C-alpha cells in the first residue's frame, strides 16, 4: 500500500512485499525493494532531484540480485533522461536526478520515479528512510515546473519507516518422501523434500543434498527445484526439491540396491547442523 503525502506535488517512499506480520516488516538477511513515487498534482514538471538518507550500517544498497553492492539507483522512465552524473549511491546518501527534453512534461498522479533494493544487515524497530528536503531549496529533493523559473515547487515528502527484525526461525524439512526410516521403498524412487522458513526464508543457493549407502561415504547429488514461494531473489518461504540419485548411488543398473539402507543429508547456510533422514 502506498502512503500519500499532502499537499502535492510530493515525493513518497514505499517498500514492496512486507515479509513479516506487518506490511513494513523485514528480516535480517533478506532484501526488499524501496520505490520512489511522484505526484505532481496536475502540475507539469520538467526536472527533479531526489536525495534520500539511510543508515548503511543497518541497510546495504544492493542490485536486484540482492547480493552485489549497488552504486546507482534503478531509474523508471518517468522523465526523459536520468543523467549518470546525477545517479549515485554514496555512503549513506542516494541521489537521483532527471529532466525532460524541450517541449516535454511529466504530469502524474502517482508515478514511479525510481527504485532501490536494500539488504537488511541489522535490526532496527523503526528505521527511517528519509528524503533530504527543505521547502523551496533547490540543492536537495526538489521539483521544477515546466516553463517555470527553476524554483522548487515541491510542497511535501513522505518518508518511509520500516521494522527490521531478527530471524528467530531455522528452516525445517517437511513433506519428505520417502519418509524417514521407511521400508519397502521402490528401487526406482526419487527423493523429494521441502524446506520451509516463513521468516528470513531459505537461501536456495546454499542448499546441498548428499546421499550414501549404509557404511559408505556421502556423495553430492543433483537437485532439481520444483514449486517455490519466493521472498526475494534466492530466498524462499518454501523450497521444494527433487533428487534423482546419480549412478554412484544407484549401483544396481540405475536402481537402488535391494535390501540396503540409504541416508540423505541436506545442508544450507541457515539450516544449522546437517539434517539426515
Amino acid at each position: 500500500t502506498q502512503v500519500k503525502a499532502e499537499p502535492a506535488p510530493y515525493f513518497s517512499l514505499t517498500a514492496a512485499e512486507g515479509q513479516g506480520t506487518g506490511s513494513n516488516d523485514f528480516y535480517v538477511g533478506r532484501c526488499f525493494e524501496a520505490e520512489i513515487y511522484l505526484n505532481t498534482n496536475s502540475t507539469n514538471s520538467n526536472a527533479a532531484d531526489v536525495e534520500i538518507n539511510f543508515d548503511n550500517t543497518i541497510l546495504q544498497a544492493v542490485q536486484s540480485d540482492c547480493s552485489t553492492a549497488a552504486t546507482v539507483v534503478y531509474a523508471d522512465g518517468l522523465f526523459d533522461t536520468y543523467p549518470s552524473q546525477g545517479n549515485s549511491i554514496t555512503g549513506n546518501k542516494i541521489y537521483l536526478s532527471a529532466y525532460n527534453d524541450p517541449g516535454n512534461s511529466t504530469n502524474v498522479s502517482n508515478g514511479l520515479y525510481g527504485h532501490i533494493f536494500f539488504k537488511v544487515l541489522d535490526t532496527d524497530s523503526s528505521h527511517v528512510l528519509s528524503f533530504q528536503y527543505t521547502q523551496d531549496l533547490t540543492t536537495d529533493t526538489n521539483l521544477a515546473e515546466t516553463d517555470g523559473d527553476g524554483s522548487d515547487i515541491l510542497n511535501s515528502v513522505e518518508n518511509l519507516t520500516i521494522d527490521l527484525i531478527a530471524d528467530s526461525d531455522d528452516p525445517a524439512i517437511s513433506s519428505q518422501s520417502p519418509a524417514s526410516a521407511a521400508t519397502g521403498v521402490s528401487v526406482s524412487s526419487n527423493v523429494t523434500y521441502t524446506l520451509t522458513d516463513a521468516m528470513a526464508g531459505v537461501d536456495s543457493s546454499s542448499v546441498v543434498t548428499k546421499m550414501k549407502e549404509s557404511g559408505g561415504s556421502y556423495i553430492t547429488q543433483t537437485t532439481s527445484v520444483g514449486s517455490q514461494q519466493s521472498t526475494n531473489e534466492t530466498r524462499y518461504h518454501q523450497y521444494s526439491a527433487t533428487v534423482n540419485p546419480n549412478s554412484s548411488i544407484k549401483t544396481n543398473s540405475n536402481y537402488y540396491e535391494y535390501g540396503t539402507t540409504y541416508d540423505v543429508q541436506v545442508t544450507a547456510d541457515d539450516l544449522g547442523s546437517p539434517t539426515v533422514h
Side-chain angles (χ1 to χ4, degrees):
T1 301
Q2 297 160 9
V3 178
K4 304 292 191 300
E6 293 295 345
Y10 64 80
F11 275 106
S12 63
L13 275 167
T14 186
E17 297 182 359
Q19 299 163 350
T21 56
S23 60
N24 285 344
D25 292 345
F26 299 93
Y27 290 103
V28 173
R30 283 169 64 182
C31 81
F32 64 92
E33 179 180 343
E35 299 170 336
I36 309 165
Y37 285 91
L38 173 64
N39 187 326
T40 64
N41 192 31
S42 301
T43 300
N44 292 323
S45 61
N46 67 353
D49 296 295
V50 164
E51 184 176 335
I52 298 171
N53 303 299
F54 71 101
D55 187 340
N56 60 4
T57 68
I58 294 174
L59 294 175
Q60 179 190 13
V62 292
Q63 297 179 20
S64 59
D65 63 5
C66 289
S67 60
T68 306
T71 57
V72 296
V73 185
Y74 290 92
D76 284 285
L78 199 58
F79 288 78
D80 294 334
T81 302
Y82 290 78
S84 58
Q85 64 268 29
N87 185 348
S88 66
I89 302 172
T90 305
N92 57 4
K93 291 278 190 180
I94 291 170
Y95 305 90
L96 185 60
S97 299
Y99 63 86
N100 284 322
D101 297 332
N104 293 339
S105 294
T106 295
N107 184 338
V108 290
S109 60
N110 206 46
L112 184 59
Y113 180 76
H115 64 281
I116 319 114
F117 292 92
F118 289 103
K119 183 176 181 179
V120 182
L121 304 178
D122 204 352
T123 59
D124 190 344
S125 59
S126 296
H127 188 76
V128 180
L129 295 172
S130 62
F131 292 97
Q132 186 74 36
Y133 170 67
T134 303
Q135 193 167 21
D136 300 326
L137 188 65
T138 59
T139 57
D140 57 11
T141 301
N142 65 86
L143 186 69
E145 187 174 9
T146 301
D147 298 325
D149 60 4
S151 61
D152 181 17
I153 63 169
L154 194 67
N155 280 324
S156 64
V157 294
E158 182 72 23
N159 298 324
L160 174 66
T161 300
I162 52 180
D163 295 328
L164 309 178
I165 307 168
D167 177 20
S168 59
D169 179 37
D170 289 334
I173 290 183
S174 61
S175 305
Q176 66 188 57
S177 177
S180 183
T183 58
V185 177
S186 169
V187 293
S188 60
S189 293
N190 289 338
V191 175
T192 64
Y193 64 86
T194 300
L195 289 173
T196 60
D197 185 348
M199 291 187 177
V202 178
D203 183 355
S204 64
S205 64
S206 70
V207 177
V208 176
T209 307
K210 297 182 178 181
M211 289 184 65
K212 71 171 185 176
E213 293 180 331
S214 180
S217 299
Y218 279 112
I219 300 171
T220 300
Q221 303 297 303
T222 300
T223 303
S224 60
V225 179
S227 61
Q228 301 168 348
Q229 294 181 10
S230 178
T231 60
N232 51 268
E233 301 308 321
T234 63
R235 287 187 174 268
Y236 300 90
H237 288 310
Q238 291 187 349
Y239 175 92
S240 299
T242 299
V243 179
N244 182 356
N246 62 36
S247 58
S248 58
I249 292 296
K250 289 185 172 182
T251 55
N252 183 17
S253 301
N254 250 4
Y255 292 93
Y256 294 111
E257 194 71 43
Y258 287 97
T260 301
T261 299
Y262 292 86
D263 292 332
V264 180
Q265 180 190 82
V266 180
T267 59
D269 285 348
D270 45 5
L271 189 59
S273 301
T275 300
V276 179
H277 291 277

